[in-house]
Amino acid sequence: MQTQDVKIIFMSFVILIGIGAFLLMLPFAHNGELTIIDALFTSTSAICVTFLYLSFNCYFK
């Protein structure tokens, strides 16, 4: 694998995690208070297919 390929894969993960966190921070996507750390953690977990949540599943709509 070339260096350029690794950069593309890494940036794809970073961009997808950022988009996911942004979408989770929208008012209609959650109930109650949601910090950016929670949104980033949840988005990272979803993208990396580990599904580790800091909060309960019912926290999100």
Side-chain angles (χ1 to χ4, degrees):
M1 219 183 232
Q2 296 178 355
T3 305
Q4 185 67 21
D5 295 336
V6 174
K7 288 180 184 178
I8 290 171
I9 292 170
F10 176 75
M11 289 308 297
S12 297
F13 271 94
V14 170
I15 290 169
L16 285 173
I17 290 168
I19 290 170
F22 171 75
L23 291 174
L24 285 171
M25 291 298 295
L26 293 175
F28 61 83
H30 62 87
N31 292 326
E33 188 176 334
L34 179 70
T35 64
I36 188 67
I37 298 298
D38 290 335
L40 283 170
F41 182 82
T42 303
S43 179
T44 302
S45 297
I47 296 299
C48 296
V49 193
T50 58
F51 297 109
L52 298 172
Y53 289 108
L54 284 177
S55 16
F56 298 109
N57 288 336
C58 62
Y59 190 71
F60 301 101
K61 287 185 180 177

